[in-house]
Amino acid sequence: MTLSSGGLFALGLFASLWLLAGLWAVGRGIAMQRRAAFVAGQAERLGSLVEASPQLPVIVRADWRIEASEKLGRWLGLEQGPRNFDELRGLGSGLDPDGHDALRQAILGAQRGAKPFTLSLKPQGSERTIILHGAPAPQAVGGPGSVLLWLSDATDGQHALAQARSDRDEAMAAFEALSGLIEAAPFPMWFRDTDLNLALVNSAYVRAVEAKSAVAVIDGGIELCETVAGVSAAEAADEARIAGSAQIRTIPVTIEGERRIMRVVDVPLAPTGGRVIGIAGYAIDIQELESERGAHRRFVDTQRELLDRLSAAVAQFGPDQGLAFANLPFRRLFALDAEDVSEARAFARLLDAWREGGRTPEVRDYPEWRQAHVDWFAQAGASEEDWLLRDGTHLHVVAQPTPDGGLLLIAEDKTEQVQLAGARDTLLRVRTATFDNLFEAIAVFAPDGRLHLWNQRFRRLWGIDEGTLAAHPRVDALMGGLADRLVKPNQISIVQEVIRAATLERQQRGGEIGFADGRYFDFASIPLPDGNALLIMLDITPSRKMEGALRERNEALEAADKVKTAFLSRMSYELRTPLTSIGGFGEMLQAGYAGKLSEQQQGYVNAIMDSVAVLGRQIDNVLDLAQGEAGSLVVERAPVDVRKLLDGALTDARAFAAAEKVELVGNISPDLGRIDGDAPRLSRLVAGLLDNAVRYTAPTRKSGGRVLLHATGDAHGIDIIVSDNGPGMPEAVAAVTKGQQAGTASGGIGLALARQLVAAHGGSMEVLSEAGQGTLVRISLPRRV
């Protein structure tokens, strides 16, 4: 059959279409294959990504089946991955019952109310912490009623969180402690923000500016430091921020109304390598420190001024071993000038200069000696040396390191002391020789009673060998063996007692002992300033013999004196009897019992009566003198008108003074008053003084002789003075002792009786005499005894 061209065309067209459809189908198949391979690759990559993800997806179906990787089992500590919800709870592993129930309730809430949730669970027997985020699963993932859980292992995060919380708590505690420390600080502290405004101040700051509170300070911008030298507190803080380091200023600040010197410090605060976040500041009161520094400087100046006045040479070296100070004696001793001190010359260089000037001792190895002395600076304690210089000077050198690393050097010239020590040794030898040649026996005992020193006479006196004394025995042991040498052996205890009293009680005592050979010794124990006791024994044997002879002679003299006293008393009474008769007959003649007398006869009788009166006074004086020497003088006390008594004495003495051409002057106070005394004896006393003054002035004063009677008184007593311008008493003391003529105060009664009468009235008597000038006698009598 033959096809038409139309048929062929249609057949060709159909074949072409079929071919095209085949080619399209092949291309489509290839594309789908490639798409499936891509999707499979993507699914594999997504599975690997999910497996490698720190979060684990878990799908819980509506029938409580679980879709999850095996990692879930490992996280829960199960042997294999769970396939249903109940397998999440295991025995000793998996979730505990409480956690399992809590998760079930959360899933139910998500299924029923589409409510997301978050739980934190900890599997049993594990330290792992798992965080669960749950929500209804997308329809394409799990179907209706499914819940998608995202589990993440938060163990490391929880640990980090716990550590962060611990660090935060520690930081907060440290911050609170630091804040408390800043608040409790006794000095002002503050903090400025980046705008240099006050942001924080402590209580000390508030008190310093006398504000009500810290808030008031910050709100008011109250500055502690006022502007000084054109720089305000904020500008000073800005300088610290710009410099990036702490800035310190010492400025005056008003603290609680008082002007104080403060050290103000501004410190920029910035993290390491970061920008400044603020400026911290504080102010320390250095008023006392500055005062102490000033006082220290004044003390140093005073100390150096004092050191200049010392005789010892003193120098101070600083920590750099340079000379810081040298007093005047040091500069003189070591020939230093002002340049050496001002240049702070080093100690080693000074040693070299001193060596050249002969101010150091001669040593064999000078470099070694020099280094040893430079090492004084590093020593812990003081060093002492004696230097013998070339010129014979002896120096005692003391080097004391100071706490600051310096050195205090003291040099004392001991030359004179060394010479004195030599002289002392010589004196000790002289003392020993002197002790050994003294007539007295001498021993020195120490405070503990041991024999310390002795001379040879002491050793020979007691008959002790030198070896025994050289052992320095105690006094009880020494004297205990010497008792048999005494007449009375028990007297040895007296010697021990006086030594003990001198050493322990510091009392001087003495006594007398007799030896069996007939010798007698006075002994005494004398405390010495050094605490020792000196025992001295003096041989009084010759004086004892002489004393016996003198005692016998004294007894004879006393017997003779008693005979003399008795004789004077007897003779006074025997003389008074005929004298009384003579006076009585004379009075009868004066009265005219024998007839009228002629003028010449009357003159004879008057002369007889005057002589009787004078002789009567002499007899009374002799009798009083005898009674005074015998201790039996008794005065009769009665009120005595002193002025009347003295006027009577002057009247009686005027005739005799006129005859002797002596001016007799009375200067008697009108208010003398009365005293208790023996009027007759006092009258004789004054009359005798006036009589004797006239008598012993007239021979040397043919004209111009003068005797003065002066008397004054007060409420306690009276003073009677008799003075003349006679020859005086060059031997007044001898005259007073012997009761002989001695110028004014002697004559009829003598100084001995005058003193006895004055003493019997409770008064005192004073005699002043100068050869060629006269004599003065002062008698002081009390009103009453």
Side-chain angles (χ1 to χ4, degrees), residues 419-435:
Q419 295 173 350
L420 290 175
R424 174 181 173 273
D425 294 339
T426 302
L427 288 176
L428 288 177
R429 291 192 295 270
V430 172
R431 184 195 68 177
T432 301
T434 302
F435 278 6

Side-chain angles (χ1 to χ4, degrees), residues 448-462:
D448 60 357
R450 291 189 176 276
L451 180 64
H452 183 56
L453 294 174
W454 65 91
N455 65 354
Q456 292 301 316
R457 190 170 295 275
F458 179 85
R459 184 185 65 81
R460 290 193 296 269
L461 170 63
W462 291 97

Side-chain angles (χ1 to χ4, degrees), residues 462-464 474-485 492 496:
W462 291 97
I464 310 173
R474 294 179 61 88
V475 61
D476 50 357
L478 177 64
M479 293 299 173
L482 304 177
D484 57 347
R485 287 149 169 90
I492 199 69
Q496 298 179 22

Side-chain angles (χ1 to χ4, degrees), residues 15 38 147 154 273 285 373 471 485 554 596 614 621-623:
F38 175 77
V147 176
D285 189 344
H373 287 70
R485 287 149 169 90
N554 184 62
K596 185 177 180 180
V614 173
N621 290 339
V622 171
L623 182 59

Side-chain angles (χ1 to χ4, degrees), residues 471-554:
H472 302 285
R474 294 179 61 88
V475 61
D476 50 357
L478 177 64
M479 293 299 173
L482 304 177
D484 57 347
R485 287 149 169 90
L486 303 181
V487 175
K488 298 179 180 179
N490 59 349
Q491 285 187 329
I492 199 69
S493 62
I494 301 176
V495 180
Q496 298 179 22
E497 179 61 25
V498 298
I499 296 174
R500 187 196 65 83
T503 54
L504 300 181
E505 301 175 9
R506 312 300 297 163
Q507 294 181 357
Q508 178 176 338
R509 294 183 182 177
E512 180 180 321
I513 56 174
F515 279 70
D517 58 4
R519 294 177 299 166
Y520 288 88
F521 286 83
D522 270 343
F523 67 92
S525 184
I526 304 171
L528 298 179
D530 59 357
N532 294 335
L534 174 65
L535 177 65
I536 301 176
M537 299 184 66
L538 178 63
D539 189 353
I540 60 170
T541 304
S543 61
R544 281 291 294 269
K545 295 178 180 179
M546 184 178 296
E547 181 182 349
L550 291 175
R551 187 179 295 110
E552 293 176 359
R553 182 177 179 184
N554 184 62

Side-chain angles (χ1 to χ4, degrees), residues 178-191 200-209 224-225 253-256 260-267 280-288:
L178 181 60
S179 299
L181 178 62
I182 293 174
E183 181 65 20
F187 49 87
M189 300 183 70
W190 62 90
F191 175 76
L200 175 67
V201 294
N202 67 348
S203 298
Y205 190 106
V206 176
R207 291 193 302 270
V209 298
L224 173 69
C225 306
V253 177
T254 301
I255 301 293
E256 299 182 25
R260 310 285 291 181
I261 300 298
M262 306 289 287
R263 177 174 290 130
V264 181
V265 182
D266 289 301
V267 183
Y282 60 90
I284 299 177
D285 189 344
I286 60 172
Q287 181 70 41
E288 286 77 10

